[in-house]
């Protein structure tokens, strides 16, 4: 194939359908050809700061030969063999041990998938399965939140709370409903006289109201990202998650933590809910486990759920859930090599330090008259642009402010993703301080250009 740029894009448009396909964006797209550390290079050789580490996943940075070597070695030894019905492979077994060490104390058993949506599908089915084993098969519904992103397979899409993902694929799966997000910048809590609750507690109580509205005997699980990622890095108040855990316990509802973004260090810990002193019943993960070098995701389940799965076959309730690529040996080998890099290079500690630096530097943008909110936790952050800082009013969608800022940052050599007029940051853990400084400067210059 002729590889001139125009030709590449023409072939692309002729034969590929992209995630979130739009022919217009396809015409202006970058063809990424190389990556190194926190940098990406496009078809013209132009360098970009990768402010989102791929799609929140390339934690160990681009260009790691060690991960390529781990994949090659495993492919030469055993590229694939089925893990159905108890069959296994050495990298999967070792990864299970490693995950049990890193994950929440009560979560010691793991089912592996190829990505995040498959992980969440597995979580929903496992929640339903669990309640059936407990003689409570009527508990099948799942509650999630507005601005949640849980993937785009049908059930994951139904849990996703970003409405633009729905209309052309509806009807959604029955039994999925949403409560408002604990969005400090926008959560509208007007306590009535005598109501002493904090906004975090009031946001959590929306879950209890929804459980009661649906009927607790019909609700299997609540799913939430500890920090909502694609929805615009929404960091809940500190007292939100402990109260969510209490509400789930009170009504026999399983708590699923979607840690596809927050898992493996993004918030400064291996998994994010520990900082709030709680554990989920099921955790889903993907992305960072291999730093994106090979597709891998999965769920971890609590000892209580694992015991139900183990007891299932005896009761005629076998857990008939599977993927061809579950526990893929190459994916597991890459994950192990990735975790080795984390430990050897102290990437978790580095992410904590870089996170503080990024949050501090981003504050320099807060005084701009259209920067409504600068927020983040650990090494993930967002800058929300608004039409009016006093009223927090958004720009009209057709003003395309976010997209124009994004285009300006691309021209200056930085790439990321938006949600509306919210600009997200989640760089790789190997980013240099000077690169973070440049990222913040580029965003500042681009906001000034679009909103002078
Ligand atoms: C929190 C969260 N859950 C699930 C997913 C879906 O993962 P995948 O795209 O691997 O299916 C994503 C992807 O961005 C995510 O951010």
């Amino acid at each position: 194939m002729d590889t001139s740029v125009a030709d590449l894009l023409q072939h692309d448009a002729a034969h590929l359908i992209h995630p979130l396909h739009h022919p217009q964006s396809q015409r202006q797209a970058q063809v990424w050809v190389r990556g190194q550390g926190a940098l990406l290079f496009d078809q013209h050789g132009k360098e970009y700061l990768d402010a989102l580490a791929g799609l929140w996943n390339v934690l160990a940075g681009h260009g790691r030969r060690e991960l390529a070597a781990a994949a090659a070695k495993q492919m030469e030894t055993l590229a694939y063999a089925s893990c159905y019905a108890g069959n296994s492979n050495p990298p999967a077994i070792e990864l299970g041990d490693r995950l049990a060490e890193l994950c929440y104390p009560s979560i010691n058993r793991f089912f592996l998938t190829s990505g995040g949506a498959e992980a969440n599908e597995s979580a929903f089915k496992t929640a339903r399965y669990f309640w059936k084993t407990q003689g409570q098969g009527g508990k099948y519904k799942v509650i999630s939140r507005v601005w949640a992103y849980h993937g785009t397979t049908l059930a994951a899409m139904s849990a996703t709370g970003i409405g633009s993902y729905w209309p052309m694929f509806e009807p959604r799966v029955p039994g999925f409903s949403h409560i408002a997000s604990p969005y400090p910048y926008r959560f509208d809590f007007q306590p009535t006289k005598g109501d002493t609750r904090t906004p975090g507690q009031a946001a959590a109580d929306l879950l209890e109201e929804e459980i009661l509205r649906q009927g607790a005997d019909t609700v299997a699980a609540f799913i939430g990202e500890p920090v909502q990622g694609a929805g615009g890095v929404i960091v809940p108040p500190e007292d939100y998650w402990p109260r969510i855990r209490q509400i789930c316990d009170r009504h026999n509802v399983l708590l699923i933590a979607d840690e596809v973004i927050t898992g493996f260090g993004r918030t400064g810990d291996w998994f994010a809910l520990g900082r709030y002193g709680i554990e989920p019943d099921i955790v889903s993960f993907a992305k960072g486990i291999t730093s994106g070098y090979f597709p891998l995701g999965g769920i971890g389940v609590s000892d209580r759920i694992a015991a139900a799965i183990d007891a299932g076959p005896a009761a005629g309730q076998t857990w008939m859930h599977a993927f061809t690529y579950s526990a893929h040996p190459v994916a597991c080998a890459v994950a192990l090599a990735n975790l080795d890099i984390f430990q050897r290079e102290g990437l978790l500690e580095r992410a904590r330090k870089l996170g503080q630096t990024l949050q501090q530097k981003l504050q320099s943008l807060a005084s701009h008259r259209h920067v409504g909110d600068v927020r983040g936790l650990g090494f993930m952050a967002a800058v929300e642009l608004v039409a009016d800082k006093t009223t927090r009013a958004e720009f009209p969608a057709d003003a395309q402010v976010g997209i124009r800022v994004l285009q300006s940052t691309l021209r200056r050599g930085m790439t990321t993703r938006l949600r509306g007029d919210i600009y997200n940051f989640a760089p790789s853990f190997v980013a240099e301080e000077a690169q973070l400084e440049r990222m913040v400067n580029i965003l500042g210059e681009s906001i000034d250009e679009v909103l002078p």
Side-chain angles (χ1 to χ4, degrees), residues 39 196 403:
L39 296 174
T196 55
I403 289 178

Side-chain angles (χ1 to χ4, degrees), residues 163-174:
S164 52
Y165 284 87
W166 303 333
M168 295 309 290
F169 303 106
E170 284 179 310
R172 283 170 268 155
V173 175

Side-chain angles (χ1 to χ4, degrees), residues 189-204:
F189 175 52
Q190 311 283 351
T192 50
K193 200 159 168 257
D195 185 347
T196 55
R197 291 174 308 162
T198 63
Q201 292 167 340

Side-chain angles (χ1 to χ4, degrees), residues 55-56 114-120 148-153 156 160 225 227-230 258-262 284 286-287 296:
L55 281 176
W56 317 80
S114 298
E118 278 185 4
N120 286 332
Y149 187 79
H150 298 299
T152 60
T153 53
T160 287
E225 303 151 82
V227 175
Q228 290 178 276
D258 180 344
E259 302 227 26
V260 166
I261 285 178
T262 54
S284 28
K287 295 191 188 278
L296 180 65

